[in-house]
Amino acid sequence: MIINKYVYVGKLRIHVQILGKGPAIVLFHPSPHSSAMLLPLAKELATHYTAICVDTPGYGLSDPLPKPPESIEDYTQVFDDLFKKLNIKKFALYGSATGAQIAIRYALNYPDKVSHIFLDNAAHFDDHLRKEILKHYFPDLKPKMDGRHLQVLWNMVSNISQYFPWCFQTEEYKLNTPKLPKEILHHITMDFLKAGENYHYAYKAAFDHENARNVQQLKVHTTIFRWEGSIILKYIDTLLSFNFPEHIQSVSTSENALRRRKEMADFINKKASENTNYIVPKDVGIIADVKNDIRSSFEKPEQTPPEINEDGSYLLNAWSEIKKQNTNLKPKEIQSNIIEWYT
């Protein structure tokens, strides 16, 4: 059974999903996704752990930070307050991509609270490439009345699996991977839309933190997963080319996504039996049921939403249909209604 709750951290409402029984492991997701992305892995870990999946502030169902973050530490402070509410005092961490950088910074700031850190899609970028990524990777996705930002978003998402970084569409950055199916592109697009115009906040903070020296400074037991199928494999290998102390190890996983998830789960579950200093959460703090959350008063049209297509034009068609239905809606409201229509 999944406990699906909001936990109030000060004035922030943080969405958590908790499952399993045993020592605690916290899972941090990539941007711009949510804890839902990690549930398949969490379900495999739940045989050995109490798996706690959290939505980063501003993503999924969690409230955004009250002001733009200055660094990744703005997120780790919120999470430390959250863990106090959850009554967990020592635990393992798993993080992927943005989540990996949050996990690294948390373990650096609070080493006595972390038993083991598992890093997935963690990389190293040199200062020049990082600067270029931060300059070009994040287009303006503020909702426009004519909906043109939707085409910008679809083009970005379409290129994510073809180039890394997606904004540099040259042979040097081209990936030898098939284009993702339109259904997966749609799912990723919806996560971007849910994150809204500030989708880049945690994303940028993570890129700014993606440096081997941060990993080298870790004092806790650390496992870096090397995924053969990752779009950032080149930069994972760059990270692994650095020298690390003995308590930081790497483990290779299969290219196939389903097989690698099983391999990671088996490895992490084995570590649960090797550690006895975890604290099992006794309660889940001050909480509210997610099912009672009313997110929109949108009245869905009688017809089904426009069918997903390869060029993303269905998004503009949906935008036009919603705008036609209610001419008084503002761009952000239209966007929220599109999300509801496809949910």
Side-chain angles (χ1 to χ4, degrees):
M1 183 182 74
I2 300 175
I3 300 173
N4 193 15
K5 301 289 185 181
Y6 289 119
V7 179
Y8 287 86
V9 179
K11 294 183 179 180
L12 288 183
R13 189 177 63 170
I14 304 299
H15 178 230
V16 300
Q17 301 193 72
I18 304 173
L19 58 160
K21 184 178 180 181
I25 182 169
V26 176
L27 290 83
F28 294 127
H29 62 81
S31 297
H33 306 293
S34 70
S35 59
M37 185 178 187
L38 298 179
L39 285 179
L41 175 61
K43 289 176 181 177
E44 297 201 39
L45 298 179
T47 58
H48 291 72
Y49 290 91
T50 298
I52 303 169
C53 302
V54 295
D55 284 356
T56 301
Y59 300 84
L61 299 179
S62 287
D63 290 341
L65 297 175
K67 60 181 181 179
E70 295 182 4
S71 72
I72 206 79
E73 291 191 70
D74 291 304
Y75 294 98
T76 57
Q77 178 61 63
V78 171
F79 284 131
D80 190 54
D81 292 340
L82 170 68
F83 302 150
K84 291 174 184 175
K85 279 287 187 73
L86 294 177
N87 197 35
I88 54 174
K89 300 176 182 177
K90 192 145 191 171
F91 42 89
L93 289 176
Y94 165 90
S96 178
T98 296
Q101 298 309 309
I102 292 174
I104 291 167
R105 179 44 54 186
Y106 188 89
L108 287 171
N109 289 0
Y110 309 98
D112 293 340
K113 298 183 180 183
V114 179
S115 295
H116 200 115
I117 178 173
F118 302 96
L119 301 176
D120 194 17
N121 288 305
H124 171 84
F125 301 109
D126 63 47
D127 291 341
H128 172 72
L129 180 57
R130 185 183 302 106
K131 182 178 178 180
E132 291 300 301
I133 289 173
L134 293 173
K135 183 178 179 181
H136 299 288
Y137 198 91
F138 304 100
D140 179 9
L141 295 180
K142 183 177 181 179
K144 314 293 192 303
M145 185 55 77
D146 61 5
R148 66 181 183 275
H149 65 290
L150 296 175
Q151 195 62 59
V152 173
L153 172 57
W154 183 263
N155 291 339
M156 177 177 70
V157 172
S158 297
N159 283 307
I160 282 176
S161 65
Q162 301 298 295
Y163 300 90
F164 188 86
W166 75 269
C167 48
F168 305 140
Q169 295 170 29
T170 64
E171 283 299 315
E172 180 182 359
Y173 299 103
K174 188 174 178 60
L175 301 171
N176 295 318
T177 55
K179 186 175 180 178
L180 293 174
K182 59 186 179 183
E183 292 78 13
I184 294 180
L185 296 178
H186 168 77
H187 180 77
I188 296 172
T189 298
M190 288 296 112
D191 279 347
F192 272 101
L193 292 180
K194 290 173 185 176
E197 62 189 270
N198 297 325
Y199 74 95
H200 57 285
Y201 279 177
Y203 228 148
K204 275 190 172 182
F207 271 121
D208 197 43
H209 193 263
E210 200 106 25
N211 193 299
R213 64 175 174 267
N214 292 317
V215 180
Q216 289 174 317
Q217 294 171 13
L218 288 168
K219 302 301 183 184
V220 303
H221 290 289
T222 302
T223 300
I224 304 171
F225 290 117
R226 181 186 183 274
W227 177 23
E228 292 280 353
S230 175
I231 64 172
I232 61 168
L233 178 61
K234 173 181 176 181
Y235 305 99
I236 295 173
D237 285 341
T238 301
L239 172 65
L240 294 176
S241 70
F242 285 79
N243 292 321
F244 295 108
E246 289 185 0
H247 65 274
I248 300 176
Q249 302 288 331
S250 65
V251 172
S252 292
T253 59
S254 302
E255 182 174 359
N256 179 272
L258 293 177
R259 191 178 304 126
R260 75 176 278 270
R261 188 177 74 208
K262 179 66 165 57
E263 291 169 355
M264 286 194 301
D266 287 347
F267 184 88
I268 297 172
N269 283 335
K270 181 180 178 182
K271 292 297 179 182
S273 64
E274 295 176 0
N275 290 275
T276 59
N277 58 344
Y278 294 83
I279 303 297
V280 179
K282 296 178 181 178
D283 57 57
V284 287
I286 302 171
I287 57 179
D289 286 308
V290 170
K291 65 182 179 181
N292 294 328
D293 181 31
I294 301 175
R295 301 186 60 79
S296 173
S297 58
F298 172 53
E299 294 184 9
K300 296 183 180 181
E302 292 183 4
Q303 70 271 33
T304 58
E307 186 176 350
I308 301 166
N309 55 26
E310 297 289 347
D311 63 5
S313 59
Y314 74 98
L315 292 167
L316 282 174
N317 293 336
W319 185 275
S320 298
E321 188 61 40
I322 296 296
K323 190 165 66 169
K324 185 193 309 179
Q325 178 179 308
N326 190 333
T327 57
N328 295 322
L329 291 177
K330 296 178 180 179
K332 286 185 179 180
E333 294 170 324
I334 298 173
Q335 183 154 298
S336 294
N337 289 345
I338 285 179
I339 295 169
E340 291 290 331
W341 203 9
Y342 280 100
T343 300

